[in-house]
Amino acid sequence: MRLWRLLALGMALLGLALAQVREGVDLGVLQAFKARLEAEVAQGRLPGAVVLVARNGQVVFHEAVGYLDPKARTPMAKEAIFRIYSMTKPLTSVLALQLVEEGRLFLTDPLALYLPEFREIRVGVERAGPEGRPVLELAPSQRPITLYDLLRHTSGITYGIFFDSLVKQEYRKVNADALDQTREEFLAKLARLPLQFQPGTLWEYGNSTDLLGHLLERVTGKSLAELMEERIFRPLGMVDSGFQVPPEKWGRVAEPPERDPFTGTPTPLPLNVREAPKRYSGGAGAVATAQDYHRFLQALLNGGELGGRRILSRKGVELLTQDHLGPLYLPSLQRGAPYLPGFGYGFGLGVAVRLEDGGSPLPGSKGDYYWAGLFGTYFFVDPKERLIGVFMMQNPGGRTYYAGLFRNAVYASLR
Protein backbone atom coordinates (compact mmCIF):
# COMPACT_ATOMS: atom_id res chain seq x y z
CA MET A 1 0.00 0.00 0.00
CA ARG A 2 2.85 2.32 0.89
CA LEU A 3 4.47 1.58 -2.48
CA TRP A 4 1.31 2.60 -4.33
CA ARG A 5 1.19 5.86 -2.36
CA LEU A 6 4.79 6.61 -3.25
CA LEU A 7 4.09 5.85 -6.90
CA ALA A 8 1.02 8.07 -6.84
CA LEU A 9 2.99 10.88 -5.23
CA GLY A 10 5.75 10.47 -7.81
CA MET A 11 3.23 10.60 -10.66
CA ALA A 12 1.64 13.72 -9.16
CA LEU A 13 5.00 15.46 -8.87
CA LEU A 14 5.86 14.45 -12.44
CA GLY A 15 2.54 15.86 -13.63
CA LEU A 16 3.21 19.13 -11.79
CA ALA A 17 6.66 19.37 -13.36
CA LEU A 18 5.25 18.71 -16.82
CA ALA A 19 2.51 21.31 -16.24
CA GLN A 20 5.24 23.86 -15.56
CA VAL A 21 6.64 23.35 -19.06
CA ARG A 22 4.53 24.04 -22.15
CA GLU A 23 5.95 23.88 -25.67
CA GLY A 24 9.43 23.91 -24.16
CA VAL A 25 8.75 27.05 -22.09
CA ASP A 26 9.24 26.91 -18.31
CA LEU A 27 6.20 28.72 -16.97
CA GLY A 28 7.78 28.95 -13.53
CA VAL A 29 10.40 31.33 -14.95
CA LEU A 30 7.69 33.47 -16.54
CA GLN A 31 5.64 33.47 -13.32
CA ALA A 32 8.74 34.74 -11.52
CA PHE A 33 8.99 37.48 -14.17
CA LYS A 34 5.34 38.37 -13.54
CA ALA A 35 6.09 38.63 -9.82
CA ARG A 36 8.98 40.96 -10.68
CA LEU A 37 6.61 43.17 -12.66
CA GLU A 38 4.12 43.19 -9.78
CA ALA A 39 6.90 44.37 -7.51
CA GLU A 40 7.71 47.13 -10.01
CA VAL A 41 4.04 48.17 -9.91
CA ALA A 42 4.10 48.22 -6.11
CA GLN A 43 7.20 50.45 -6.22
CA GLY A 44 5.42 52.90 -8.54
CA ARG A 45 7.86 52.30 -11.43
CA LEU A 46 5.44 50.48 -13.73
CA PRO A 47 1.79 51.56 -14.21
CA GLY A 48 0.71 48.26 -15.71
CA ALA A 49 1.46 45.81 -18.50
CA VAL A 50 0.21 42.86 -20.52
CA VAL A 51 2.66 40.08 -21.41
CA LEU A 52 2.19 37.38 -24.05
CA VAL A 53 4.54 34.56 -25.03
CA ALA A 54 3.83 32.02 -27.77
CA ARG A 55 5.82 29.06 -29.01
CA ASN A 56 5.16 26.53 -31.75
CA GLY A 57 1.93 28.34 -32.60
CA GLN A 58 0.55 28.10 -29.07
CA VAL A 59 0.07 30.95 -26.57
CA VAL A 60 1.76 29.60 -23.43
CA PHE A 61 1.71 32.71 -21.25
CA HIS A 62 -0.70 35.67 -21.31
CA GLU A 63 -0.93 37.77 -18.14
CA ALA A 64 -1.81 41.27 -16.97
CA VAL A 65 -0.30 43.21 -14.07
CA GLY A 66 -0.88 46.63 -12.51
CA TYR A 67 -3.32 49.24 -13.69
CA LEU A 68 -5.12 49.98 -16.92
CA ASP A 69 -5.47 53.58 -15.73
CA PRO A 70 -2.99 54.52 -12.97
CA LYS A 71 -4.97 57.62 -11.99
CA ALA A 72 -8.29 55.78 -11.60
CA ARG A 73 -6.52 52.64 -10.26
CA THR A 74 -8.47 50.50 -12.71
CA PRO A 75 -6.95 46.99 -12.83
CA MET A 76 -5.13 46.03 -16.00
CA ALA A 77 -6.89 43.46 -18.19
CA LYS A 78 -5.45 41.06 -20.75
CA GLU A 79 -7.88 42.59 -23.27
CA ALA A 80 -6.47 46.11 -22.77
CA ILE A 81 -6.05 48.24 -25.90
CA PHE A 82 -2.70 49.99 -26.27
CA ARG A 83 -1.37 52.80 -28.41
CA ILE A 84 1.36 50.88 -30.23
CA TYR A 85 3.05 53.88 -31.89
CA SER A 86 5.98 52.59 -34.00
CA MET A 87 4.74 49.01 -33.91
CA THR A 88 2.39 50.39 -36.59
CA LYS A 89 5.36 50.44 -38.98
CA PRO A 90 5.54 46.67 -39.68
CA LEU A 91 1.81 46.71 -40.47
CA THR A 92 2.32 49.47 -43.05
CA SER A 93 5.31 47.60 -44.47
CA VAL A 94 3.17 44.51 -45.04
CA LEU A 95 0.55 46.63 -46.84
CA ALA A 96 3.23 48.04 -49.14
CA LEU A 97 4.60 44.58 -49.93
CA GLN A 98 1.07 43.36 -50.69
CA LEU A 99 0.79 46.03 -53.40
CA VAL A 100 4.24 45.06 -54.69
CA GLU A 101 3.12 41.44 -54.97
CA GLU A 102 0.00 42.60 -56.83
CA GLY A 103 2.16 44.48 -59.34
CA ARG A 104 0.87 47.91 -58.35
CA LEU A 105 4.24 49.12 -57.01
CA PHE A 106 7.95 48.39 -57.39
CA LEU A 107 10.34 48.94 -54.51
CA THR A 108 12.68 50.66 -56.96
CA ASP A 109 10.03 53.24 -57.90
CA PRO A 110 10.97 56.83 -57.06
CA LEU A 111 8.84 58.44 -54.39
CA ALA A 112 8.09 61.38 -56.70
CA LEU A 113 6.34 59.05 -59.15
CA TYR A 114 3.43 58.92 -56.69
CA LEU A 115 4.04 62.09 -54.65
CA PRO A 116 5.38 64.64 -57.16
CA GLU A 117 5.78 67.26 -54.43
CA PHE A 118 9.00 65.39 -53.51
CA ARG A 119 10.60 65.85 -56.92
CA GLU A 120 12.84 68.71 -55.80
CA ILE A 121 14.53 67.46 -52.63
CA ARG A 122 17.56 68.95 -50.91
CA VAL A 123 20.02 67.59 -48.38
CA GLY A 124 21.04 69.53 -45.26
CA VAL A 125 24.81 69.83 -44.80
CA GLU A 126 26.31 71.28 -41.62
CA ARG A 127 29.21 73.65 -42.23
CA ALA A 128 31.37 75.70 -39.88
CA GLY A 129 29.94 79.21 -39.69
CA PRO A 130 30.96 82.44 -37.96
CA GLU A 131 32.83 81.89 -34.70
CA GLY A 132 32.89 78.16 -35.43
CA ARG A 133 29.14 77.74 -35.01
CA PRO A 134 27.63 75.22 -37.43
CA VAL A 135 25.28 76.50 -40.11
CA LEU A 136 22.97 74.53 -42.38
CA GLU A 137 23.53 74.62 -46.12
CA LEU A 138 21.43 72.89 -48.76
CA ALA A 139 22.89 70.56 -51.38
CA PRO A 140 21.09 68.84 -54.27
CA SER A 141 20.11 65.22 -53.83
CA GLN A 142 22.36 62.87 -55.78
CA ARG A 143 19.51 60.48 -56.53
CA PRO A 144 15.75 60.22 -55.90
CA ILE A 145 14.23 58.65 -52.79
CA THR A 146 12.78 55.23 -53.62
CA LEU A 147 10.07 53.17 -51.94
CA TYR A 148 12.87 50.82 -50.90
CA ASP A 149 14.50 53.73 -49.04
CA LEU A 150 11.25 54.48 -47.23
CA LEU A 151 10.86 50.87 -46.08
CA ARG A 152 14.41 50.45 -44.82
CA HIS A 153 14.78 54.04 -43.45
CA THR A 154 17.56 55.08 -45.81
CA SER A 155 15.60 57.96 -47.37
CA GLY A 156 17.29 60.75 -45.42
CA ILE A 157 13.92 61.69 -43.91
CA THR A 158 14.18 61.95 -40.14
CA TYR A 159 12.15 62.82 -37.02
CA GLY A 160 12.41 66.03 -35.04
CA ILE A 161 12.65 63.89 -31.90
CA PHE A 162 15.41 61.40 -30.98
CA PHE A 163 18.79 63.14 -30.70
CA ASP A 164 19.68 66.45 -32.38
CA SER A 165 21.00 68.05 -35.56
CA LEU A 166 20.40 71.26 -37.49
CA VAL A 167 18.05 69.37 -39.81
CA LYS A 168 16.08 68.04 -36.84
CA GLN A 169 15.81 71.58 -35.53
CA GLU A 170 14.15 72.55 -38.82
CA TYR A 171 11.66 69.71 -38.28
CA ARG A 172 10.87 70.96 -34.80
CA LYS A 173 10.35 74.53 -35.97
CA VAL A 174 7.38 73.49 -38.12
CA ASN A 175 6.24 70.61 -35.87
CA ALA A 176 6.66 68.19 -38.76
CA ASP A 177 6.18 65.04 -36.67
CA ALA A 178 2.76 66.03 -35.36
CA LEU A 179 -0.04 63.52 -35.72
CA ASP A 180 -2.54 66.31 -35.10
CA GLN A 181 -2.37 67.70 -38.64
CA THR A 182 -3.94 66.77 -41.95
CA ARG A 183 -2.23 64.58 -44.50
CA GLU A 184 -1.88 67.55 -46.83
CA GLU A 185 -0.26 69.68 -44.12
CA PHE A 186 2.15 66.88 -43.25
CA LEU A 187 3.18 66.24 -46.86
CA ALA A 188 3.64 69.95 -47.60
CA LYS A 189 5.95 70.38 -44.59
CA LEU A 190 7.99 67.27 -45.30
CA ALA A 191 8.47 68.13 -48.98
CA ARG A 192 10.01 71.51 -48.04
CA LEU A 193 12.34 70.19 -45.34
CA PRO A 194 15.95 69.15 -46.03
CA LEU A 195 17.04 65.54 -45.78
CA GLN A 196 19.37 64.45 -42.98
CA PHE A 197 21.72 62.79 -45.51
CA GLN A 198 21.89 61.66 -49.14
CA PRO A 199 19.32 58.93 -49.93
CA GLY A 200 20.67 55.40 -49.67
CA THR A 201 23.80 56.26 -47.68
CA LEU A 202 22.79 55.80 -44.01
CA TRP A 203 20.06 54.45 -41.76
CA GLU A 204 18.07 57.19 -40.03
CA TYR A 205 14.82 56.63 -38.14
CA GLY A 206 12.09 59.00 -39.16
CA ASN A 207 8.87 59.83 -40.95
CA SER A 208 9.59 57.50 -43.87
CA THR A 209 6.84 55.03 -42.93
CA ASP A 210 4.28 57.81 -42.43
CA LEU A 211 5.14 59.03 -45.91
CA LEU A 212 4.83 55.48 -47.24
CA GLY A 213 1.37 55.12 -45.68
CA HIS A 214 0.13 58.30 -47.37
CA LEU A 215 1.61 57.09 -50.65
CA LEU A 216 -0.43 53.88 -50.32
CA GLU A 217 -3.52 55.99 -49.75
CA ARG A 218 -2.85 57.97 -52.93
CA VAL A 219 -2.19 54.82 -55.00
CA THR A 220 -5.31 52.96 -53.82
CA GLY A 221 -7.74 55.83 -53.24
CA LYS A 222 -8.49 54.41 -49.79
CA SER A 223 -7.52 55.54 -46.31
CA LEU A 224 -4.83 53.66 -44.43
CA ALA A 225 -7.48 52.68 -41.88
CA GLU A 226 -9.59 51.08 -44.62
CA LEU A 227 -6.58 49.31 -46.14
CA MET A 228 -5.45 47.81 -42.83
CA GLU A 229 -8.97 46.73 -41.89
CA GLU A 230 -9.58 45.06 -45.26
CA ARG A 231 -6.14 43.55 -45.79
CA ILE A 232 -4.75 42.74 -42.32
CA PHE A 233 -7.07 43.22 -39.34
CA ARG A 234 -10.20 41.48 -40.65
CA PRO A 235 -8.43 38.54 -42.34
CA LEU A 236 -6.39 37.84 -39.18
CA GLY A 237 -9.23 38.35 -36.71
CA MET A 238 -7.57 41.39 -35.10
CA VAL A 239 -10.88 42.60 -33.73
CA ASP A 240 -9.56 45.34 -31.43
CA SER A 241 -7.02 46.92 -33.80
CA GLY A 242 -7.39 50.13 -35.77
CA PHE A 243 -6.69 53.86 -35.71
CA GLN A 244 -9.58 54.77 -33.43
CA VAL A 245 -11.20 53.07 -30.44
CA PRO A 246 -15.03 53.00 -30.63
CA PRO A 247 -16.99 54.31 -27.59
CA GLU A 248 -18.03 50.84 -26.42
CA LYS A 249 -14.32 49.97 -25.95
CA TRP A 250 -13.12 53.21 -24.32
CA GLY A 251 -13.04 51.49 -20.93
CA ARG A 252 -10.34 49.13 -22.22
CA VAL A 253 -7.82 51.77 -23.32
CA ALA A 254 -4.58 51.62 -21.31
CA GLU A 255 -3.41 55.02 -20.09
CA PRO A 256 0.04 56.29 -19.07
CA PRO A 257 0.80 57.84 -15.67
CA GLU A 258 0.62 61.62 -15.41
CA ARG A 259 4.32 61.72 -14.52
CA ASP A 260 6.85 59.31 -15.94
CA PRO A 261 8.29 57.33 -12.99
CA PHE A 262 11.61 56.89 -14.80
CA THR A 263 12.25 60.52 -15.72
CA GLY A 264 10.21 62.33 -13.08
CA THR A 265 8.84 64.61 -15.81
CA PRO A 266 5.24 64.94 -17.04
CA THR A 267 4.38 62.18 -19.50
CA PRO A 268 3.94 63.50 -23.05
CA LEU A 269 0.30 63.84 -24.04
CA PRO A 270 -0.69 60.45 -25.49
CA LEU A 271 -2.32 60.02 -28.86
CA ASN A 272 -6.07 60.67 -28.65
CA VAL A 273 -7.47 57.39 -29.90
CA ARG A 274 -11.07 58.11 -28.91
CA GLU A 275 -11.58 60.45 -31.87
CA ALA A 276 -10.89 60.06 -35.57
CA PRO A 277 -7.36 61.32 -36.35
CA LYS A 278 -6.74 64.16 -38.78
CA ARG A 279 -4.43 61.83 -40.68
CA TYR A 280 -3.70 58.11 -40.48
CA SER A 281 -0.11 57.71 -39.37
CA GLY A 282 1.45 54.61 -40.89
CA GLY A 283 4.40 55.05 -38.57
CA ALA A 284 2.72 55.64 -35.23
CA GLY A 285 -1.07 55.81 -35.28
CA ALA A 286 -2.48 52.34 -34.59
CA VAL A 287 -3.87 50.62 -31.50
CA ALA A 288 -4.00 46.90 -30.68
CA THR A 289 -4.26 44.38 -27.89
CA ALA A 290 -1.42 41.99 -27.12
CA GLN A 291 -3.53 39.14 -28.48
CA ASP A 292 -4.26 40.98 -31.73
CA TYR A 293 -0.64 41.88 -32.35
CA HIS A 294 0.34 38.30 -31.60
CA ARG A 295 -1.98 37.17 -34.40
CA PHE A 296 -0.17 39.45 -36.84
CA LEU A 297 3.25 38.18 -35.71
CA GLN A 298 2.07 34.56 -35.83
CA ALA A 299 1.00 35.08 -39.43
CA LEU A 300 4.51 36.32 -40.24
CA LEU A 301 6.11 33.41 -38.39
CA ASN A 302 3.85 31.01 -40.30
CA GLY A 303 5.14 32.38 -43.60
CA GLY A 304 2.37 34.89 -44.22
CA GLU A 305 -0.85 33.15 -43.18
CA LEU A 306 -2.96 32.38 -40.15
CA GLY A 307 -6.03 30.17 -39.98
CA GLY A 308 -6.08 29.75 -43.74
CA ARG A 309 -6.02 33.51 -44.41
CA ARG A 310 -2.91 34.77 -46.19
CA ILE A 311 -1.70 38.36 -45.89
CA LEU A 312 1.67 37.96 -47.62
CA SER A 313 3.54 35.30 -49.57
CA ARG A 314 6.25 33.24 -47.90
CA LYS A 315 8.91 35.03 -49.95
CA GLY A 316 7.33 38.36 -49.10
CA VAL A 317 7.79 37.60 -45.40
CA GLU A 318 11.40 36.62 -46.09
CA LEU A 319 11.92 39.94 -47.88
CA LEU A 320 10.39 41.84 -44.95
CA THR A 321 12.50 40.13 -42.30
CA GLN A 322 15.95 39.89 -43.89
CA ASP A 323 18.65 42.52 -43.56
CA HIS A 324 18.58 45.25 -46.23
CA LEU A 325 21.39 47.47 -44.98
CA GLY A 326 24.34 45.29 -45.95
CA PRO A 327 27.50 47.43 -45.81
CA LEU A 328 25.42 50.41 -44.61
CA TYR A 329 25.12 48.65 -41.26
CA LEU A 330 28.65 49.57 -40.21
CA PRO A 331 28.58 53.32 -40.96
CA SER A 332 25.13 53.50 -39.39
CA LEU A 333 26.38 51.68 -36.30
CA GLN A 334 29.40 53.96 -36.07
CA ARG A 335 27.03 56.88 -35.54
CA GLY A 336 26.33 55.40 -32.10
CA ALA A 337 23.08 55.94 -30.22
CA PRO A 338 21.06 57.20 -33.23
CA TYR A 339 21.33 53.72 -34.73
CA LEU A 340 18.37 52.27 -32.85
CA PRO A 341 18.57 48.60 -33.97
CA GLY A 342 21.80 48.34 -31.96
CA PHE A 343 24.79 46.03 -31.96
CA GLY A 344 24.36 42.83 -33.93
CA TYR A 345 21.25 44.02 -35.78
CA GLY A 346 20.72 45.19 -39.32
CA PHE A 347 17.35 46.37 -40.57
CA GLY A 348 14.76 44.78 -42.82
CA LEU A 349 11.73 46.49 -44.32
CA GLY A 350 10.29 47.72 -41.03
CA VAL A 351 11.98 45.56 -38.37
CA ALA A 352 15.45 45.20 -36.84
CA VAL A 353 17.02 41.89 -37.93
CA ARG A 354 19.72 39.93 -36.06
CA LEU A 355 22.71 39.32 -38.32
CA GLU A 356 24.53 36.52 -36.47
CA ASP A 357 24.13 34.35 -33.37
CA GLY A 358 26.76 36.45 -31.60
CA GLY A 359 27.65 40.12 -31.67
CA SER A 360 24.71 41.40 -29.62
CA PRO A 361 24.14 41.83 -25.87
CA LEU A 362 20.58 40.55 -26.38
CA PRO A 363 19.73 36.85 -26.14
CA GLY A 364 18.37 35.52 -29.41
CA SER A 365 19.12 33.71 -32.65
CA LYS A 366 20.37 34.66 -36.08
CA GLY A 367 17.39 35.95 -38.03
CA ASP A 368 15.25 37.03 -35.08
CA TYR A 369 13.52 40.37 -35.55
CA TYR A 370 11.93 42.98 -33.32
CA TRP A 371 10.62 46.49 -32.99
CA ALA A 372 9.01 48.71 -30.35
CA GLY A 373 6.74 51.69 -29.77
CA LEU A 374 7.37 55.09 -28.16
CA PHE A 375 5.18 54.48 -25.09
CA GLY A 376 6.67 51.09 -24.22
CA THR A 377 5.15 48.44 -26.48
CA TYR A 378 7.64 45.84 -27.75
CA PHE A 379 7.76 42.58 -29.69
CA PHE A 380 10.27 40.05 -30.94
CA VAL A 381 10.00 36.99 -33.17
CA ASP A 382 12.58 34.20 -33.24
CA PRO A 383 11.90 31.90 -36.23
CA LYS A 384 14.59 29.42 -35.17
CA GLU A 385 12.90 28.91 -31.80
CA ARG A 386 9.36 29.33 -33.23
CA LEU A 387 8.99 31.97 -30.51
CA ILE A 388 6.98 35.19 -30.18
CA GLY A 389 7.09 37.71 -27.34
CA VAL A 390 4.75 40.72 -26.97
CA PHE A 391 5.05 43.25 -24.15
CA MET A 392 2.50 46.06 -23.87
CA MET A 393 2.64 49.05 -21.53
CA GLN A 394 2.24 52.86 -21.66
CA ASN A 395 5.33 54.06 -19.79
CA PRO A 396 7.69 55.88 -22.21
CA GLY A 397 10.67 56.38 -19.91
CA GLY A 398 10.91 52.69 -19.04
CA ARG A 399 10.60 51.27 -22.53
CA THR A 400 14.21 50.12 -22.94
CA TYR A 401 14.44 48.76 -19.40
CA TYR A 402 11.27 46.67 -19.53
CA ALA A 403 11.89 45.43 -23.08
CA GLY A 404 15.26 44.09 -21.96
CA LEU A 405 13.81 42.61 -18.77
CA PHE A 406 11.09 40.86 -20.77
CA ARG A 407 13.37 39.49 -23.46
CA ASN A 408 15.86 38.12 -20.93
CA ALA A 409 13.10 36.38 -18.98
CA VAL A 410 11.53 34.78 -22.07
CA TYR A 411 14.81 33.34 -23.33
CA ALA A 412 15.69 32.17 -19.82
CA SER A 413 12.44 30.18 -19.81
CA LEU A 414 13.29 28.08 -22.89
CA ARG A 415 13.92 24.42 -22.28
Side-chain angles (χ1 to χ4, degrees):
M1 198 64 180
R2 185 178 178 185
L3 178 60
W4 283 110
R5 287 178 181 172
L6 289 173
L7 287 172
L9 178 60
M11 291 298 291
L13 291 174
L14 177 61
L16 182 62
L18 291 174
Q20 282 286 93
V21 178
R22 286 189 59 196
E23 302 296 335
V25 176
D26 188 332
L27 302 185
V29 173
L30 296 183
Q31 287 293 349
F33 170 67
K34 180 185 177 184
R36 170 68 180 273
L37 292 182
E38 289 170 338
E40 298 270 328
V41 172
Q43 294 168 19
R45 287 162 53 85
L46 174 67
V50 175
V51 180
L52 186 149
V53 179
R55 199 175 193 202
N56 298 325
Q58 301 295 317
V59 175
V60 297
F61 193 78
H62 187 196
E63 297 288 344
V65 300
Y67 302 103
L68 181 79
D69 185 337
K71 186 176 181 180
R73 309 291 280 185
T74 310
M76 182 61 78
K78 290 189 287 187
E79 298 77 21
I81 299 171
F82 292 83
R83 300 166 180 86
I84 62 172
Y85 286 96
S86 286
M87 279 169 50
T88 310
K89 289 180 171 71
L91 296 165
T92 304
S93 295
V94 167
L95 281 179
L97 291 178
Q98 287 178 348
L99 295 189
V100 169
E101 292 189 339
E102 293 168 9
R104 301 174 72 176
L105 300 172
F106 288 94
L107 293 187
T108 51
D109 286 342
L111 168 63
L113 180 64
Y114 305 99
L115 299 175
E117 52 265 60
F118 288 87
R119 188 169 287 123
E120 301 296 329
I121 53 176
R122 295 290 183 268
V123 179
V125 180
E126 294 191 13
R127 306 286 191 194
E131 301 178 1
R133 294 178 181 175
V135 295
L136 189 65
E137 296 180 358
L138 299 183
S141 174
Q142 295 172 1
R143 71 160 176 80
I145 296 170
T146 65
L147 274 60
Y148 188 48
D149 289 318
L150 295 180
L151 280 158
R152 64 180 188 156
H153 288 273
T154 56
S155 65
I157 294 167
T158 187
Y159 276 134
I161 59 172
F162 301 123
F163 316 106
D164 194 28
S165 71
L166 293 184
V167 169
K168 286 176 175 287
Q169 290 173 24
E170 295 300 309
Y171 273 63
R172 293 198 290 271
K173 286 177 185 176
V174 297
N175 201 17
D177 301 345
L179 300 181
D180 187 25
Q181 60 182 328
T182 67
R183 176 178 64 184
E184 290 69 28
E185 290 170 335
F186 171 77
L187 292 175
K189 289 178 183 178
L190 213 59
R192 292 194 298 267
L193 287 166
L195 303 181
Q196 180 74 24
F197 53 81
Q198 290 287 346
T201 62
L202 281 174
W203 186 94
E204 174 82 20
Y205 201 45
N207 282 293
S208 289
T209 313
D210 277 64
L211 190 53
L212 178 66
H214 295 318
L215 183 153
L216 299 179
E217 290 179 323
R218 191 166 290 187
V219 168
T220 62
K222 295 183 177 182
S223 74
L224 200 61
E226 291 173 315
L227 289 171
M228 284 202 187
E229 177 63 26
E230 293 173 5
R231 290 170 167 265
I232 298 178
F233 298 152
R234 193 183 305 149
L236 297 183
M238 298 170 65
V239 295
D240 293 316
S241 299
F243 288 85
Q244 180 184 359
V245 180
E248 64 271 18
K249 297 181 181 180
W250 285 359
R252 291 166 54 196
V253 177
E255 300 293 353
E258 291 183 336
R259 298 189 71 84
D260 192 304
F262 272 72
T263 64
T265 59
T267 300
L269 191 66
L271 182 65
N272 181 4
V273 296
R274 292 178 171 86
E275 296 180 3
K278 289 186 178 180
R279 70 180 181 93
Y280 295 107
S281 167
V287 300
T289 61
Q291 181 66 26
D292 271 5
Y293 209 85
H294 157 256
R295 295 184 68 82
F296 170 65
L297 298 177
Q298 190 66 60
L300 296 184
L301 186 56
N302 291 350
E305 66 86 25
L306 182 69
R309 302 298 300 273
R310 180 166 292 281
I311 60 167
L312 201 60
S313 73
R314 178 175 60 84
K315 299 303 289 186
V317 174
E318 289 180 13
L319 189 66
L320 177 81
T321 59
Q322 64 188 216
D323 175 56
H324 287 270
L325 294 186
L328 295 184
Y329 162 74
L330 287 176
S332 293
L333 187 65
Q334 287 163 4
R335 297 169 63 229
Y339 183 64
L340 300 180
F343 285 101
Y345 281 82
F347 199 78
L349 302 181
V351 292
V353 181
R354 193 181 187 101
L355 300 174
E356 300 292 342
D357 285 322
S360 171
L362 300 176
S365 310
K366 181 179 179 179
D368 76 48
Y369 51 95
Y370 81 90
W371 207 239
L374 180 66
F375 269 50
T377 56
Y378 173 77
F379 78 84
F380 67 87
V381 178
D382 188 329
K384 181 179 179 181
E385 295 287 350
R386 304 296 296 171
L387 179 68
I388 293 171
V390 181
F391 186 87
M392 298 286 212
M393 71 171 186
Q394 307 282 248
N395 186 18
R399 62 181 181 269
T400 302
Y401 171 76
Y402 287 110
L405 203 66
F406 172 59
R407 187 174 183 127
N408 288 341
V410 173
Y411 276 99
S413 75
L414 299 186
R415 297 293 179 263

